[in-house]
Amino acid sequence: MTDLSLYRNIGIFAHVDAGKTTTTERILKLTGKIHKIGEVHEGESTTDFMEQEAERGITIQSAAVSCFWKGHRFNVIDTPGHVDFTVEVYRSLKVLDGGIGVFCGSGGVEPQSETNWRYANDSKVSRLIFVNKLDRIGADFIRVTDQVTKVLGAKPLIMTLPIGREDTFKGVVDLLSRKAYIWDETGQPENYTIEDVPADMVDDVEMYREQLIENAVEMDDDVMMAYMEGEQPSDDDIKRCIRKGTLELAFFPTYCGSAFKNKGMQLLLDAVVDYLPTPTEVNPQPLTDEEGNPNGKYAIVADDEPFRALAFKIMDDRFGALTFVRIYSGKLNKGDTVLNSFTGKSERVGRMVEMQADERNELSFAQAGDIIAIVGMKNVQTGHTLCDVKHPCTLEAMVFPEPVISISVTPKDKGSTEKMGIAIGKMVAEDPTFRVETDIDSGETILRGMGELHLDIKVDILRRTYGVDLVVGQPQVAYRETISMPIEDSYTHKKQSGGSGQYGKIDYKIKPGEANTGFTFKSSVVGGNVPKEFFPAIEKGFRSMMGIGPLAGFPVLDVEVELVDGGYHAVDSSAIAFEIAAKGAFRQSMPKAGPQLLEPIMKVDVYSPEDHVGDVIGDLNRRRGMISGQEPNTTGVRIKSDVPLSEMFGYISTLRTMTSGRGQFSMEFSHYSACPMNVSEAVIAKEKEKKAAAAK
């Protein structure tokens, strides 16, 4: 058995363009995994191996890579930074034990870094902070650490200080050992010398070292008492205290450097070994029942436990379907049969591989703490639990946000139709936030996703990877409907034909429900006017109608139905009769209950240089946005607002034009809210036109 204390499962996450992929590349170079370094801006990096990634210089899929450093095995996952792919980050954090948050030395804490940091807090992942790009103009290490404190509410523990600024940046001082690491200009990571601290930095080094020790000793009462009495703690004691504080998320050890220029990376790798948790030090994953409620049991990381693993990503490539799994407990041998607790079906594990980005090594055995890929699993999707056949269990289910934007796609010729069907099937299995449905009226295929870029890339993959010629329609917003006033009503369904007929009478109240409750049904029938056994049928009838609203046929949200009375016939009443009565009641009463159109509102976070703030706010107001706050920082202002999605199409090009290319924004779904009258009328008229055209 391999020693789990030598394992580190880590992820690298950050805002777009902070240098995650470059950092991963450098880690691979230093650990001897690759010999030539691929550059992102040349489209040659190891982990961004999709064509779309190379072209756009962004990471879309999380890639898993294994490498070794000082006898320790690292499983590194490079995650995307772009807002449309946050779900990839969320999935990766679920299976990681520790992470490295990368921040740009000049950009600091950017909008997306905040979202990712919040996800990592939710998943209780221990992290190191790496302030990258210190060779850039405007880079300032201390300013970025202050931002981390202010914006993220986190406590950075400064471990290294930079030597030189911007283009004179040449190395770092390690505060613990009081040694300066200075690199030459060749850009080779191994070409460095260890020297004494430069004379002009001695005071700063002592000050920050003092702060470091004071924060670290708080984690151990004995060491702290000795320190208070004037005794200097040993380096081993300090490291032990830092490790404890990192695991408890009391602070985050912070390093600096330039990944692109290969400066400061070794110290970061040493820190992963010294301070990030092993698989056994993380809180074990809780097991849940089928509904997702914890049952008090845990997946203990040990090889004598039953096998439990979580599938966190599906990827399809030229070798077949790969299912990435994190093994939480037990072990897995090639040829074992495992149970998928979601589907209740068992599958045989034919081939297991360890991933080196695009390369793979065959495995015959894996154990708790490993992250591997299994080839050729049939019915496994993201978030499914694989477990021992004799000990079925469910690990925590993953929750994914609902898509908010859709486009229609039509294949250009018959040959492409079949191709498209197969390709889309594979893509849906890979990405749980990507949905596909067929429009009943027009027969068009509708793709739904998290944002314009998300769908843009999906169409690109269909065209290029699968060779499907498509005609793409305009992006559509996922509207919803609700009601604004309560109504009491009655409905009777009766039908008499030879033999037994159908009879069901219901008296009911329909009223607006609480926000985000969907559909709720309750009954206050007293006596036996409607027998209890028919309640499920009535609920089913109402619920089945929620998909098509009275205004324009959009799904209905937040409605509460209460059954107050009714009547039945001893012979003619049946579950079907009451179900039909409920459907008729819905059709009859909904138009009377003040139906309203709801539109998705997005949480928009815009970063703008100071001189353009007025223009940006004016533009957001024109888009019916509500400004919720402004935060000035040294390089510009962050404006937070709530804006309807329908007004946000093509926003990035407007923002770039307004801010001379310096503005950035991120947006995520916030909630549904009522549409203004003029917007609502235009949407309803358009929908009716569409339906009339389809009916011809």
Side-chain angles (χ1 to χ4, degrees):
M1 284 304 294
T2 37
D3 181 359
L4 280 179
S5 65
L6 302 176
Y7 267 57
R8 297 289 182 276
N9 290 323
I10 59 169
I12 295 180
F13 55 93
H15 185 82
V16 124
D17 274 351
K20 296 175 297 298
T21 304
T22 310
T23 308
T24 312
E25 283 291 304
R26 300 309 184 256
I27 293 177
L28 295 180
K29 171 78 172 74
L30 271 172
T31 54
K33 269 293 162 206
I34 52 175
H35 298 293
K36 173 188 178 295
I37 292 180
E39 295 309 347
V40 176
H41 47 260
E42 291 168 11
E44 287 181 350
S45 67
T46 316
T47 50
D48 287 355
F49 48 82
M50 288 169 62
E51 280 180 23
Q52 290 79 5
E53 293 180 310
E55 262 180 32
R56 297 168 192 242
I58 60 173
T59 307
I60 298 168
Q61 286 189 334
S62 317
V65 198
S66 308
C67 55
F68 288 87
W69 177 254
K70 296 192 175 169
H72 289 68
R73 174 185 172 129
F74 291 2
N75 290 321
V76 186
I77 295 188
D78 174 28
T79 61
H82 204 287
V83 62
D84 287 8
F85 307 105
T86 20
V87 67
E88 286 274 345
V89 180
Y90 174 69
R91 285 196 283 194
S92 309
L93 285 167
K94 278 277 189 234
V95 296
L96 296 174
D97 303 330
I100 302 174
V102 180
F103 296 99
C104 171
S106 57
V109 178
E110 294 165 292
Q112 195 53 32
S113 339
E114 211 177 324
T115 311
N116 292 344
W117 196 263
R118 199 170 64 240
Y119 277 155
N121 284 344
D122 293 348
S123 302
K124 297 189 174 57
V125 174
S126 309
R127 284 147 279 172
L128 304 174
I129 292 175
F130 179 59
V131 178
N132 188 16
K133 303 193 177 180
L134 283 183
D135 52 334
R136 291 258 300 258
I137 292 175
D140 184 339
F141 174 61
I142 300 299
R143 190 189 76 234
V144 177
T145 57
D146 289 346
Q147 275 187 336
V148 169
T149 314
K150 273 199 222 92
V151 179
L152 302 176
K155 189 171 176 185
L157 188 71
I158 294 176
M159 303 291 293
T160 59
L161 284 177
I163 305 171
R165 291 189 63 152
E166 298 177 0
D167 49 359
T168 60
F169 171 70
K170 58 183 183 184
V172 298
V173 174
D174 178 21
L175 294 180
L176 273 183
S177 62
R178 297 193 179 91
K179 290 285 183 231
Y181 290 73
I182 292 174
W183 280 263
D184 63 13
E185 288 308 306
T186 56
Q188 293 300 326
E190 49 276 1
N191 294 353
Y192 66 95
T193 50
I194 299 179
E195 299 172 17
D196 289 332
V197 175
D200 59 341
M201 288 181 69
V202 171
D203 295 347
D204 280 355
V205 167
E206 289 308 312
M207 177 180 93
Y208 281 106
R209 189 170 193 268
E210 197 70 18
Q211 284 179 7
L212 162 76
I213 295 171
E214 280 171 12
N215 282 317
V217 294
E218 283 176 10
M219 301 314 297
D220 187 315
D221 292 347
D222 298 344
V223 179
M224 185 157 131
M225 289 309 293
Y227 179 70
M228 298 290 256
E229 286 162 12
E231 193 184 312
Q232 274 292 325
S234 70
D235 280 3
D236 287 348
D237 279 345
I238 298 174
K239 279 190 171 173
R240 195 182 73 250
C241 291
I242 296 175
R243 182 174 185 91
K244 185 168 179 256
T246 311
L247 297 191
E248 290 173 11
L249 307 187
F251 45 67
F252 303 94
T254 301
Y255 290 80
C256 57
S258 161
F260 182 54
K261 296 277 175 57
N262 271 315
K263 293 173 183 173
M265 297 303 296
Q266 286 91 335
L267 296 162
L268 184 67
L269 292 181
D270 289 345
V272 170
V273 170
D274 289 341
Y275 308 126
L276 285 184
T278 67
T280 49
E281 288 173 314
V282 188
N283 294 334
Q285 278 282 335
L287 300 179
T288 61
D289 57 17
E290 285 164 6
E291 269 76 56
N293 305 314
N295 59 8
K297 295 182 183 163
Y298 291 90
I300 311 291
V301 180
D303 54 329
D304 50 1
E305 283 276 310
F307 170 73
R308 299 184 178 111
L310 181 71
F312 66 97
K313 178 176 168 97
I314 310 271
M315 203 170 103
D316 204 87
D317 68 358
R318 57 187 189 277
F319 300 102
L322 287 174
T323 308
F324 283 83
V325 295
R326 158 77 198 262
I327 304 176
Y328 284 109
S329 63
K331 49 188 183 215
L332 183 64
N333 293 305
K334 196 170 164 179
D336 281 0
T337 300
V338 295
L339 173 75
N340 177 349
S341 65
F342 185 81
T343 57
K345 293 184 175 150
S346 54
E347 296 210 28
R348 192 171 161 276
V349 175
R351 284 173 61 205
M352 298 190 290
V353 292
E354 170 188 273
M355 297 297 291
Q356 310 285 343
D358 211 9
E359 301 287 303
R360 56 210 60 201
N361 304 332
E362 294 278 338
L363 297 173
S364 57
F365 166 83
Q367 60 168 20
D370 276 334
I371 294 180
I372 59 161
I374 304 176
V375 184
M377 295 207 100
K378 301 275 187 307
N379 299 318
V380 179
Q381 285 192 338
T382 301
H384 287 184
T385 302
L386 303 175
C387 53
D388 189 327
V389 181
K390 296 189 191 84
H391 299 89
C393 69
T394 306
L395 290 155
E396 181 187 4
M398 295 187 178
V399 184
F400 297 111
E402 284 295 308
V404 285
I405 178 171
S406 59
I407 53 172
S408 63
V409 292
T410 325
K412 280 189 179 165
D413 49 51
K414 282 251 172 75
S416 296
T417 311
E418 195 173 317
K419 260 196 284 192
M420 181 170 93
I422 297 167
I424 286 179
K426 287 180 177 173
M427 286 159 71
V428 169
E430 285 173 25
D431 182 354
T433 55
F434 175 60
R435 312 271 169 87
V436 177
E437 49 201 59
T438 308
D439 189 307
I440 305 165
D441 301 327
S442 63
E444 289 177 319
T445 305
I446 311 284
L447 307 184
R448 296 187 181 280
M450 299 311 294
E452 281 183 280
L453 180 72
H454 188 198
L455 290 179
D456 187 25
I457 286 188
K458 294 291 179 207
V459 168
D460 200 37
I461 294 174
L462 279 171
R463 279 187 177 140
R464 270 209 268 172
T465 314
Y466 296 103
V468 181
D469 253 357
L470 294 172
V471 180
V472 180
Q474 284 297 311
Q476 301 291 324
V477 176
Y479 289 100
R480 296 285 181 267
E481 296 181 25
T482 190
I483 52 175
S484 56
M485 54 198 224
I487 182 167
E488 256 190 79
D489 213 343
S490 166
Y491 188 86
T492 309
H493 168 70
K494 56 179 183 208
K495 189 174 172 191
Q496 198 60 52
S497 56
S500 66
Q502 288 178 353
Y503 181 81
K505 174 175 185 285
I506 50 174
D507 298 345
Y508 53 91
K509 289 180 188 164
I510 292 184
K511 57 181 184 200
E514 293 288 314
N516 303 320
T517 51
F519 170 74
T520 43
F521 177 81
K522 58 182 187 196
S523 160
S524 55
V525 177
V526 278
N529 289 351
V530 178
K532 275 208 170 83
E533 65 257 32
F534 296 139
F535 289 180
I538 299 171
E539 182 177 350
K540 184 181 167 195
F542 276 115
R543 191 181 288 278
S544 66
M545 297 297 286
M546 290 287 288
I548 299 175
L551 285 172
F554 293 112
V556 181
L557 284 183
D558 311 335
V559 170
E560 198 176 296
V561 174
E562 184 182 349
L563 185 66
V564 283
D565 204 1
Y568 84 111
H569 186 282
V571 177
D572 290 354
S573 284
S574 63
I576 281 287
F578 275 103
E579 190 180 324
I580 296 171
K583 288 181 175 174
F586 186 93
R587 278 196 288 269
Q588 168 183 300
S589 305
M590 283 299 278
K592 303 181 205 167
Q596 252 184 347
L597 201 64
L598 299 174
E599 59 182 351
I601 305 291
M602 309 301 279
K603 220 172 19 245
V604 178
D605 194 340
V606 184
Y607 165 80
S608 157
E610 259 176 34
D611 29 350
H612 300 289
V613 171
D615 298 344
V616 170
I617 291 178
D619 180 65
L620 287 169
N621 287 333
R622 273 197 298 284
R623 295 173 185 270
R624 309 202 291 140
M626 294 281 288
I627 309 291
S628 56
Q630 293 182 48
E631 287 171 22
N633 60 26
T634 44
T635 50
V637 180
R638 284 179 61 185
I639 304 152
K640 295 189 168 186
S641 59
D642 291 331
V643 191
L645 174 67
S646 56
E647 305 287 340
M648 288 299 291
F649 290 136
Y651 180 61
I652 186 74
S653 50
T654 316
L655 179 67
R656 284 188 180 143
T657 314
M658 267 186 314
T659 59
S660 327
R662 287 159 63 202
Q664 288 180 333
F665 85 107
S666 75
M667 75 175 180
E668 56 186 328
F669 172 68
S670 166
H671 60 277
Y672 274 99
S673 140
C675 265
M677 253 343 261
N678 57 340
V679 176
S680 163
E681 282 166 2
V683 170
I684 295 168
K686 198 167 158 193
E687 279 301 302
K688 284 186 173 155
E689 263 175 43
K690 232 167 78 183
K691 285 189 173 135
K696 280 177 187 171

